[in-house]
């Protein structure tokens, strides 16, 4: 079968091109056509020799996962659902902000970790995405947004691996994908603006620090092992202290001088003042530079959990900040299109066969034009 060039980082492409008898700089040109210009049609790659283009057409392809659906929220957030085959779907979400454009992407169809509060976790694990399928989410979204906005400049400035799946349980495919995103001949995303979020796969945190140190977010969600064992089952394998020390080690290599801890606030589960005290003691005891990002829980059917009330979120935030810990509350974006981790894909999968049916019909919903003020802002996104 023809090789999918989205699976290859720069060096991989150099190797393939050399097997076609082409020099290194030709591979670089091809890499730029694919990732910088978003071109999928070899015949449009005008500075490549005709014979090389023909070889590519016969032996290679540039293929992203098919889009099942596309939704735009009132706040400008866009969510795509991609068909990952066999009834599975994965999602990517674009979140425009005044000073940046963030794309949240998936690393697996489903997830084996099985966190209590996560709709992806409730689906179970289906399969790892390939490097090409991880990169393709960025390739597709950047290409779509530029065409949609009529721009020829970078729109996505930040990428976060916070969609479906546990990226560090798909390590072998993750790292080449990260390298493509960082490559100046491709997307040139800075290490500080590329974030891997993990539920805490300790050995892989260490490997990432050596192989490809990008910004790290760790999904903590609980200040003690008893509660974290329950909410994030992986904690039974890698308990909090081990995780915290891995984070500390990571900081020596990280592009930022802090780790972000994600903390999903669940009413009367992990949101009391006692939890704040425990969290503060933990952070002080380990002595780790960090920020805590509080995430209001996004409810889904059958979770049996509730989002903490605004009052409790506020109380938690004030107490943590009051103790000197840099704390933020994640804005809920794209609420009207369920743009939270795993949500829409979960709904589609629940209806057996729905993904295949939707894919056949190509139900791509027309999206509203992005207002000129938003697009002007996006046009000036800093890299
Ligand atoms: N597997 C990785 C990355 C994907 S999940 C991880 O767990 O970090 C990305 C983030 O979304 C995590 O912090 C996760 O805890 C959070 N999340 C999952 N389900 C959620 C929900 N229903 N509401 C709010 N946040 C959720
Ligand atoms: Fe997997 Fe992350 Fe969801 Fe946990 S929160 S089940 S690790 S995707």
């Amino acid at each position: 079968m023809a090789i999918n060039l989205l699976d290859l980082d720069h060096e991989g492409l150099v190797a393939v091109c050399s097997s076609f008898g082409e020099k290194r700089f030709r591979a670089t040109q091809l890499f730029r056509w694919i990732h910088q210009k978003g071109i999928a049609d070899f015949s449009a790659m005008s500075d490549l020799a005709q014979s090389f283009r023909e070889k590519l057409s016969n032996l290679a392809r540039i293929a992203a996962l098919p889009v099942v659906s596309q939704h735009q929220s009132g706040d400008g957030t866009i969510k795509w659902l991609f068909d990952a085959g066999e009834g599975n779907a994965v999602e990517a979400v674009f979140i425009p902000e005044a000073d940046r454009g963030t794309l949240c992407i998936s690393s697996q169809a489903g997830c084996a970790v099985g966190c209590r509060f996560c709709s992806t976790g409730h689906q179970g694990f289906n399969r790892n995405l390939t490097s090409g399928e991880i990169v393709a989410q960025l390739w597709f979204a950047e290409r779509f947004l530029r065409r949609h906005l009529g721009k020829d400049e970078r729109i996505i400035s930040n990428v976060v691996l916070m969609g479906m799946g546990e990226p560090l349980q798909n390590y072998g495919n993750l790292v080449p994908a990260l390298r493509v995103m960082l490559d100046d001949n491709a997307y040139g995303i800075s290490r500080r603006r590329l974030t891997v979020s993990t539920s805490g796969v300790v050995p892989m945190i260490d490997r990432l620090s050596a192989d490809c140190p990008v910004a790290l977010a760790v999904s903590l969600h609980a200040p003690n092992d008893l509660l974290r064992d329950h909410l994030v089952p992986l904690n039974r394998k890698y308990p909090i202290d081990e995780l915290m020390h891995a984070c500390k080690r990571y900081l020596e290599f990280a592009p930022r001088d802090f780790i972000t801890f994600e903390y999903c606030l669940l009413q009367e589960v992990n949101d009391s003042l006692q939890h704040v005290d425990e969290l503060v003691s933990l952070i002080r005891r380990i002595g780790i530079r960090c920020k805590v990002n509080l995430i209001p829980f996004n409810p889904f059917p059958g979770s049996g959990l509730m989002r903490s009330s605004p009052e409790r979120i506020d109380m938690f935030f004030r107490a943590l900040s009051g103790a000197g810990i840099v704390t933020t509350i994640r804005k809920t974006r794209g609420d009207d299109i369920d743009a939270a981790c795993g949500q829409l894909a979960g709904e589609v999968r629940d209806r057996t066969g729905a993904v295949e049916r939707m894919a056949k019909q190509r139900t791509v919903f027309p999206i509203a034009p992005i207002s000129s003020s938003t697009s002007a802002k996006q046009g000036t996104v800093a890299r």
Side-chain angles (χ1 to χ4, degrees), residues 71-73 75-80 91-97 100-105 137-138 141-142 144-146 148-149 154-160 333-334 337 339 367 370 374 378-379 381:
H71 300 262
Q72 185 173 19
S73 158
D75 64 17
T77 302
I78 303 175
K79 175 165 177 156
W80 294 278
E91 68 191 8
V93 180
F94 173 67
I95 305 148
E97 285 176 277
R100 73 186 83 174
T102 303
L103 186 71
C104 172
I105 60 174
Q137 296 166 67
L138 174 57
E142 177 71 34
F144 171 86
L145 290 165
R146 282 193 204 182
H148 186 61
L149 298 170
R154 181 76 34 84
I155 290 165
I156 296 166
S157 58
N158 296 51
V159 174
V160 293
R333 298 288 303 263
I337 55 166
I367 71 170
I370 296 175
T374 320
Q378 284 175 338
V381 156

